[in-house]
Amino acid sequence: MANQRIGQGVCGHTGMVEAVKKEMTGEAVLRDLAELFKVLSDHTRVRILHALLKAELCVCDLVEVLDMNQSAVSHQLRVLRSAKVVKYRKEGRHVFYSLDDDHIVSLLQQGLDHVME
Amino acid sequence: MANQRIGQGVCGHTGMVEAVKKEMTGEAVLRDLAELFKVLSDHTRVRILHALLKAELCVCDLVEVLDMNQSAVSHQLRVLRSAKVVKYRKEGRHVFYSLDDDHIVSLLQQGLDHVME
DNA sequence: TGAATATATGAATAGGTAAACATATGTTGG
DNA sequence: CCAACATATGTTTACCTATTCATATATTCA
């Protein structure tokens, strides 16, 4: 039903434009969607999330796994935290991070499936 | 089974780090994944994709729907094309764009579900 | 309490990128 | 063939952001 063009005529006079405009999800939602994907669009953050797909890890674990500067990792964790893509749990002087919910897991899996075909 | 910490001990000596490292998907794949999300992370591109979720549209339709400069739309369509997120079909002087496959549709839906809860 | 460890954060810098403008390419109809 | 229309693209500019360095905060343990 969707994704089909119903008669073409001259460009911009098919009624399609108006129809699509009306069905349009709110701008705010689309802005949030772009924002969510932006959070997932950095190599370092993807590596962090991929690692967390396997296990809950503390910052210094991640520093080892990624072989990166602790500061860089913390900065990216902050981005992930702010976007509620990861959650954390303090235990003494360690902070353990994990993926926030199954939605995030699905997005990552779906994305991985796509790029690996 | 996954996502569980099996004994903690001193940071970096749990065997977890090595285990996670070994299971690690190839760097190239993770780079592609970040790249895919990057393509989906721009407001204009999300608006384009969201419109294409409803119908196949030509460039001038999109220019109207988005109410944007034709040049800006074309530039973003190029990004989407290069990433094989959209496909196109020429018909005379018009070029009709549509989402490339169901994987993309799923990613968008999943993302939308997440941001709308 | 003080040293060591774990994490967070402010500031500076380098690299990337979306939008606008101008222009080129390609297609149709008269 | 020529004019009008549809689309693509090179360039410039302004903005954004990931990393690094330096430092602050917080917690444990001897």
Side-chain angles (χ1 to χ4, degrees):
Chain A
M1 42 173 178
N3 224 8
Q4 296 221 348
R5 193 167 187 85
I6 314 140
Q8 272 137 35
V10 176
C11 184
H13 298 86
T14 62
M16 214 48 171
V17 169
E18 278 314 308
V20 169
K21 267 188 182 172
K22 260 174 200 147
E23 283 181 75
M24 213 65 163
T25 304
E27 278 299 304
V29 171
L30 295 186
R31 215 169 272 281
D32 288 348
L33 182 57
E35 210 56 46
L36 170 64
F37 284 133
K38 185 168 298 175
V39 168
L40 305 178
S41 76
D42 174 74
H43 183 226
T44 297
R45 289 195 290 272
V46 163
R47 290 173 75 214
I48 290 175
L49 296 174
H50 179 256
L52 296 181
L53 215 47
K54 319 277 185 179
E56 179 192 48
L57 295 170
C58 68
V59 180
C60 64
D61 286 341
L62 285 168
V63 167
E64 276 199 57
V65 169
L66 306 187
D67 189 28
M68 280 187 70
N69 197 308
Q70 177 269 322
S71 177
V73 174
S74 267
H75 275 294
Q76 297 314 322
L77 283 171
R78 181 146 92 120
V79 174
L80 294 169
R81 248 188 294 131
S82 304
K84 299 233 200 295
V85 167
V86 299
K87 60 189 175 196
Y88 62 99
R89 164 176 81 79
K90 294 189 183 178
E91 193 176 317
R93 50 187 163 182
H94 293 261
V95 180
F96 291 98
Y97 282 86
S98 56
L99 299 181
D100 187 74
D101 65 7
D102 290 342
H103 252 129
I104 302 299
V105 177
S106 301
L107 268 174
L108 289 172
Q109 295 288 10
Q110 192 99 37
L112 275 171
D113 288 352
H114 184 76
V115 296
M116 300 197 310
E117 336 264 46
Chain B
M1 45 173 177
N3 224 6
Q4 296 219 348
R5 192 166 187 86
I6 314 138
Q8 271 135 39
V10 175
C11 185
H13 298 87
T14 63
M16 213 49 169
V17 169
E18 279 313 309
V20 169
K21 267 189 182 172
K22 259 173 200 149
E23 283 181 76
M24 211 67 162
T25 304
E27 279 297 304
V29 172
L30 295 186
R31 214 169 272 281
D32 288 348
L33 181 57
E35 210 56 47
L36 171 64
F37 284 133
K38 183 168 299 172
V39 169
L40 306 178
S41 75
D42 173 75
H43 182 227
T44 297
R45 288 194 291 271
V46 163
R47 290 172 75 214
I48 290 174
L49 296 174
H50 179 256
L52 296 181
L53 214 47
K54 318 277 186 178
E56 180 191 47
L57 294 170
C58 69
V59 180
C60 65
D61 284 343
L62 285 168
V63 167
E64 278 199 56
V65 169
L66 306 186
D67 190 27
M68 280 187 70
N69 197 308
Q70 178 268 323
S71 176
V73 173
S74 267
H75 274 292
Q76 296 314 321
L77 282 171
R78 180 146 92 121
V79 174
L80 294 170
R81 247 188 294 131
S82 305
K84 299 233 201 293
V85 167
V86 300
K87 60 188 175 196
Y88 63 98
R89 162 177 82 79
K90 294 190 184 179
E91 192 175 316
R93 51 187 163 181
H94 293 259
V95 180
F96 291 98
Y97 282 86
S98 55
L99 299 181
D100 186 74
D101 65 7
D102 289 342
H103 252 128
I104 301 301
V105 176
S106 301
L107 267 175
L108 289 172
Q109 295 287 10
Q110 193 100 36
L112 275 171
D113 287 353
H114 184 75
V115 296
M116 301 197 309
E117 337 264 49

